[in-house]
Amino acid sequence: MVSDIKDTAHAVEAAAVMRLLPGRPRLLALGEPTHGEDTLLEVRNELFRQLVEREGYRTIAIESDCLLGLAVDDYVTTGTGTLDEVMERGFSHGWGASAANRELVRWMRAHNDGRPAPERIRFAGFDGPLEITGAESPRWALTALHRYLSARVDTGLLPCTAETLDRLLGADDRWTNPAAMMDPAWSVGQSAEARELRLLADDLVALLDEQTPHLITATPWDDWDRARLYGRTATGLLRYHHWMADTSPARMTRLAGLRDRMMADNLLALAERGPALIHAHNGHLQRAKSTTRMSGLPLEWWGAGALVSTRLGAEYAFLATVLGTIRHRGVDAPPPDTVEGLLYALPEDRCVVDAPRLATALADRRPAPRVSPYYGYSPIDPAHLAGIDGIVFVKDIPRSGPPATA
């Protein structure tokens, strides 16, 4: 069996990845089964460099706040700010502390230096402004969208004034109270002000769409594109806050689904720019239904990868990273009857494997699912192999920097 798998294993290189696919996808998703390990981000960085230099990729998007990521994009494209500033302020979920992320941003700035705008590579966060402890205020997104429109369309077309938005939003700490994540009674998401804000946000987004022929000629394309991001984020956050205030048994399932819906909408917008590498947890990028347990209860929802794959078809491709050991997390060598165990028997420390061919080879063996002693690591589900385009296998993960919290 090991020899059969070895025939499908190749070095982790852009060319080997592309040979697995029918064509160059607009979105190439690289998942990881755990967060906070720089070794995995270093593999991602090298693959992105090769995709840029050999395959024409121009964007990398990671599982980080989509609004904060604008500062990183400004830095790598135009040099606005400093590397220290964007690492501190341009990432959510602790990602700014990663040495590998810092190296990615440094390399992107160096690559873009002196290049004309059409040839520059871009950075994006594609997660919503959400944390495990709650959600951000919709103020930034709502007021930025209103400001963009008020400077470019007839004032009489606007559904409200900036002062009205400010009054309805109130203090930001009303929205960001971490107690609301576990107790809906603390959420303001279904207050009268929040309901009015949802209507106004919808009207502002509709006005942005209606005025598109004017806006894309009167302003730079990037400004209009950012306004669309503000609109998606404002409506998504208000919808998320609404469900934070819900008391039904469906509350947590809806919140998980809404987060991935926001991710999917951002990814579909990024696909309009051209080919991009996407990096996030396997659970967000897989085509199969996502699952987890929250407060002891099982949750199931369709993740961003499933949603995007439905829309893009073959122009979405998914590589799942699979691990052998994370010994500093208590994850030792995998049992030989698991997918991880079979891959661990290969001589390579890192390789790319054809997942559908592996699924066919294992059809009669039915490998056992691996059980992780570490809650932050999700082994691959053998039943998902046929829906994965390729596996990036990393045999051993040494200890790295502080873990991210995404």
Side-chain angles (χ1 to χ4, degrees):
M1 178 58 66
V2 171
S3 61
D4 293 340
I5 298 173
K6 185 172 173 50
D7 290 341
T8 78
H10 302 279
V12 183
E13 297 176 345
V17 169
M18 290 300 160
R19 284 196 294 270
L20 298 177
L21 309 174
R24 185 182 70 172
R26 277 194 280 169
L27 296 182
L28 174 59
L30 174 64
E32 62 177 10
T34 188
H35 285 324
E37 302 297 341
D38 268 7
T39 297
L40 300 182
L41 305 190
E42 290 162 3
V43 171
R44 175 206 65 189
N45 290 355
E46 178 56 29
L47 181 59
F48 180 57
R49 281 193 287 267
Q50 293 185 20
L51 290 169
V52 168
E53 294 167 356
R54 305 173 191 177
E55 302 294 339
Y57 277 66
R58 286 291 175 266
T59 299
I60 186 168
I62 74 168
E63 187 184 337
S64 185
D65 186 320
C66 57
L67 297 183
L68 295 181
L70 296 175
V72 185
D73 189 50
D74 285 342
Y75 174 74
V76 301
T77 54
T78 68
T80 302
T82 68
L83 179 58
D84 286 342
E85 288 170 350
V86 298
M87 296 312 299
E88 181 179 354
R89 303 173 187 171
F91 294 85
S92 61
H93 303 101
W95 288 122
S98 160
N101 279 335
R102 185 183 184 88
E103 174 56 23
L104 171 70
V105 175
R106 187 209 62 77
W107 177 81
M108 292 179 72
R109 173 84 282 271
H111 177 90
N112 284 336
D113 192 29
R115 293 178 186 267
E119 297 180 12
R120 295 172 193 159
I121 54 178
R122 306 287 299 271
F123 177 92
F126 71 93
D127 202 351
L130 309 171
E131 294 281 355
I132 292 173
T133 55
E136 289 296 321
S137 164
R139 176 182 300 279
W140 179 357
L142 260 180
T143 56
L145 175 59
H146 187 277
R147 188 163 54 248
Y148 172 85
L149 287 169
S150 63
R152 294 164 177 86
V153 303
D154 190 304
T155 304
L157 297 175
L158 294 169
C160 65
T161 65
E163 291 73 21
T164 297
L165 287 181
D166 187 62
R167 174 179 58 80
L168 292 171
L169 286 162
D172 286 343
D173 58 9
R174 297 168 62 241
W175 299 91
T176 58
N177 185 349
M181 193 67 212
M182 300 310 298
D183 184 354
W186 288 100
S187 173
V188 298
Q190 293 188 18
S191 64
E193 294 87 352
R195 288 194 293 270
E196 188 170 353
L197 284 168
R198 288 187 74 183
L199 292 173
L200 292 173
D202 185 67
D203 279 345
L204 287 168
V205 171
L207 181 59
L208 179 68
D209 290 342
E210 293 159 17
Q211 294 293 314
T212 293
H214 161 63
L215 295 171
I216 60 175
T217 57
T219 61
W221 188 91
D222 276 354
D223 290 354
W224 170 77
D225 193 47
R226 286 194 176 189
R228 291 198 302 162
L229 171 62
Y230 296 141
R232 292 193 302 274
T233 306
T235 55
L237 275 175
L238 286 164
R239 192 177 296 116
Y240 194 91
H241 278 288
H242 174 90
W243 279 93
M244 284 183 72
D246 187 70
T247 58
S248 77
R251 177 179 184 265
M252 293 307 299
T253 299
R254 285 308 312 272
L255 291 177
L258 286 169
R259 180 188 178 192
D260 272 86
R261 158 76 186 280
M262 292 177 72
M263 288 183 174
D265 287 345
N266 287 333
L267 290 178
L268 290 169
L270 287 172
E272 298 173 12
R273 290 185 187 174
L277 177 68
I278 312 304
H279 189 254
H281 196 281
N282 285 333
H284 290 303
L285 300 179
Q286 66 190 27
R287 292 184 176 93
K289 212 167 192 181
S290 300
T291 61
T292 192
R293 297 188 71 85
M294 188 73 71
S295 300
L297 300 175
L299 301 181
E300 292 188 356
W301 72 98
W302 292 107
L307 297 173
V308 171
S309 179
T310 301
R311 294 280 296 276
L312 295 185
E315 292 197 284
Y316 177 80
F318 171 48
L319 307 175
T321 299
V322 174
L323 302 181
T325 72
I326 325 173
R327 297 187 193 278
H328 56 282
R329 303 290 185 193
V331 181
D332 294 322
D337 62 343
T338 63
V339 171
E340 289 87 352
L342 292 166
L343 295 173
Y344 198 74
L346 296 174
E348 293 86 357
D349 289 332
R350 299 175 184 178
C351 59
V352 172
V353 176
D354 185 324
R357 282 184 60 188
L358 179 61
T360 300
L362 296 178
D364 296 331
R365 283 193 63 161
R366 296 187 179 180
R370 186 182 192 182
V371 178
S372 171
Y374 169 47
Y375 74 95
Y377 160 59
S378 301
I380 193 169
D381 185 336
H384 293 171
L385 283 177
I388 298 170
D389 297 296
I391 287 173
V392 174
F393 180 67
V394 178
K395 182 168 284 189
D396 299 295
I397 302 291
R399 184 185 297 271
S400 59
T405 59

